[in-house]
Structure formats: C-alpha cells, structure tokens
Amino acid sequence: MNYEYTQIIHDLLLKYADSNEAVKMKRYMRNQYEFYGLRAPQRKELVRSLIKKQGTPQEEHFREIIQELWEFPERDYQSIALELLDRKIKHFKEKDIELLEYLVINKSWWDTVDWIATKHVGHYFMQHPQNKKAVTGKWIDSENIWLQRTAILFQLKYKKLTDEDLLFRYINQCLGSEEFFINKAIGWALREYSKTNPQSVLEFVDKTPLSRLSKTEALKAIKKNKGNEEKNSKGG
C-alpha cells in the first residue's frame, strides 16, 4: 500500500469483517469478487467515521488512492472508493473524467458501473457539458459494454434536463445487441424518462425495434400509471 489513507481503510475492514456475510455477498455477485462482509449501512458508517477523523483524501493524492482501492480483490474497497467519490460530485474537475472512465472499465460489474454512471458521470456532465457528446460518443462507439451502458444511463436522473435526441440516438446505435446489460440499460433509461415524457417514450418504443427485454422495461411505468388511472376511474 502506497498511502496511509489506504492502510487505515484496510485496517478498518479487517476489524469489522463478517465471514458469514462475506459468503452471502460473494454468492450474490456470482462468485466474481471476494468480500469482507460489511453490509451497506455499516460500510457507510465506516466511511463517515473515517472522514470525520481523517478527512477526505488530499486532492493531490485523491486519484491515486481511489485507484489503489480499486486494485484490491475484495469488493468492499471499490464500494468505499465510490463512497469517497460521492463526496466530490459537486466539485469534479474537467480531467476527472479520466478517472471515472478508468473505474468503469476496470473491475466492471453492474454494481459499480451503475453507481458511477448515474451518480458520478451524471454529475460530471452537468458541470462540464462541453465534454458530454464527445466523451459519451466515444463510449457508445466502443466495443466495451460497460462504457456503452454508461453512455445510455448517465442521464437517468436528469428528468426534464434529459437530452432526448442523444438518448434515443445511443439506443438506436445499440439496437440488435444480444448483451443483457445493454438491453436492460435501454429499458431502464426509457422507463425513467417515461416518468418525465411518457408520450415521447411511447412514440419511440412504437417505431423502434427494441428487444423484448428493453420494451418490457421501457413501458413498465407507463402501464403502471395507466392501471392506476383505470382503477381510480372505476372507483369513482
């Protein structure tokens, strides 16, 4: 370990490790990662306590510490790294997109990628919109499914600020994919946007040859609202 901050995290994880929970977590993640077994509330409390005593990592070493945490085999380190990144979301510098991309393409799985995409990348492009199309365009053109998923999902919480043309263009570019994580992302993104602009999503779904998974996911919120309206109408 190159940094004292990382050593402190390591010592805390050893202190609070729960082997029984670790087995359950490893099984839930399809045995892809090892765990110390800290559940999310306990991990969040650990990070709060850490920051209260040590502060957040100094800016000049922030990236290196995050990347060092990323290299450990236990998934708890990556989750703590993202908790630390959460503290930076309002103050991303333009160059921080390099770190975010690194985290997406290394140790990639839905748990970290979706956290990075919807929270960190989403906030980053709010602060640096001039980079949005160039960077996400490169991602969607790549053959990396996690970069593509990030390009589709980064606007998930944008609501009325969603760049609809960009979202639909990226979805169209991924049509025909047999990759579960891409088709699921397409459906998820459309479902969330349907809560803001249901008519636009309905029209897009109607004219676009989406996969069955994407279409089912995309229409869930619309169908639920329609069902509630019919129920209320009958009740009245």
Side-chain angles (χ1 to χ4, degrees), residues 161-196:
L161 297 177
T162 299
D163 184 333
E164 179 182 292
D165 290 340
L166 193 69
L167 174 62
F168 290 171
R169 184 162 79 246
Y170 286 174
I171 290 172
N172 276 316
Q173 197 164 332
C174 292
L175 292 179
S177 173
E178 296 181 359
E179 174 55 57
F180 169 83
F181 288 107
I182 296 299
N183 290 323
K184 186 76 170 182
I186 289 171
W188 187 15
L190 290 172
R191 184 178 77 235
E192 285 303 305
Y193 186 49
S194 77
K195 298 173 184 177
T196 298

Side-chain angles (χ1 to χ4, degrees), residues 5 7 14 19 21 57 67-68 87 101 109 112 117 128 136 153-154 170 181 192 197 225-226:
Y5 202 96
Q7 182 66 56
L14 287 177
S19 58
E21 286 296 325
Q67 288 180 321
E68 189 169 61
R87 271 68 178 183
E101 182 175 306
W109 197 239
T112 55
H128 302 284
T136 60
L153 291 178
F154 81 91
Y170 286 174
F181 288 107
E192 285 303 305
N197 195 338
N225 288 337
K226 184 177 180 180

Side-chain angles (χ1 to χ4, degrees), residues 30-44:
R30 299 184 183 178
N31 299 315
Q32 292 198 82
Y33 301 103
E34 299 295 330
F35 287 86
Y36 281 108
L38 276 74
R39 302 181 75 174
Q42 189 178 18
R43 186 189 70 238
K44 290 178 183 297

Side-chain angles (χ1 to χ4, degrees), residues 33-233:
Y33 301 103
E34 299 295 330
F35 287 86
Y36 281 108
L38 276 74
R39 302 181 75 174
Q42 189 178 18
R43 186 189 70 238
K44 290 178 183 297
E45 182 56 39
L46 182 155
V47 172
R48 281 194 292 268
S49 177
L50 171 69
I51 292 175
K52 185 176 181 180
K53 293 179 181 178
Q54 303 294 331
T56 54
Q58 294 181 353
E59 181 63 33
E60 61 265 33
H61 300 306
F62 189 89
R63 175 172 178 161
E64 289 79 9
I65 288 172
I66 296 298
Q67 288 180 321
E68 189 169 61
L69 291 170
W70 219 253
E71 294 305 312
F72 287 98
E74 293 85 4
R75 200 60 163 169
D76 313 76
Y77 289 104
Q78 284 92 67
S79 296
I80 288 174
L82 296 185
E83 296 271 9
L84 293 173
L85 263 177
D86 283 353
R87 271 68 178 183
K88 197 179 183 182
I89 57 175
K90 294 182 180 180
H91 307 286
F92 279 129
K93 296 181 178 179
E94 191 168 7
K95 66 179 181 179
D96 286 332
I97 194 62
E98 298 171 4
L99 174 60
L100 297 178
E101 182 175 306
Y102 172 88
L103 301 181
V104 169
I105 63 178
N106 289 280
K107 300 283 180 72
S108 308
W109 197 239
W110 63 266
D111 60 326
T112 55
V113 170
D114 291 359
W115 190 340
I116 297 162
T118 62
K119 197 164 190 179
H120 304 134
V121 174
H123 274 87
Y124 174 87
F125 286 124
M126 284 289 192
Q127 296 166 53
H128 302 284
Q130 72 278 8
N131 296 332
K132 179 177 66 176
K133 290 184 179 179
V135 173
T136 60
K138 181 189 72 171
W139 290 351
I140 206 70
D141 288 338
S142 75
E143 295 183 358
N144 185 298
I145 66 167
W146 301 109
L147 289 176
Q148 292 174 328
R149 184 173 168 96
T150 300
I152 293 168
L153 291 178
F154 81 91
Q155 299 189 86
L156 198 72
K157 299 179 182 179
Y158 278 23
K159 298 181 180 180
K160 291 182 179 180
L161 297 177
T162 299
D163 184 333
E164 179 182 292
D165 290 340
L166 193 69
L167 174 62
F168 290 171
R169 184 162 79 246
Y170 286 174
I171 290 172
N172 276 316
Q173 197 164 332
C174 292
L175 292 179
S177 173
E178 296 181 359
E179 174 55 57
F180 169 83
F181 288 107
I182 296 299
N183 290 323
K184 186 76 170 182
I186 289 171
W188 187 15
L190 290 172
R191 184 178 77 235
E192 285 303 305
Y193 186 49
S194 77
K195 298 173 184 177
T196 298
N197 195 338
Q199 187 57 41
S200 186
V201 171
L202 276 172
E203 291 173 0
F204 179 76
V205 170
D206 185 59
K207 68 181 182 182
T208 306
L210 298 170
S211 71
R212 181 181 297 180
L213 172 61
S214 297
K215 185 174 182 179
T216 299
E217 289 291 326
L219 297 177
K220 275 185 177 179
I222 293 173
K223 288 183 176 180
K224 182 178 179 180
N225 288 337
K226 184 177 180 180
N228 289 338
E229 289 173 1
E230 290 176 351
K231 183 178 179 180
N232 291 336
S233 176

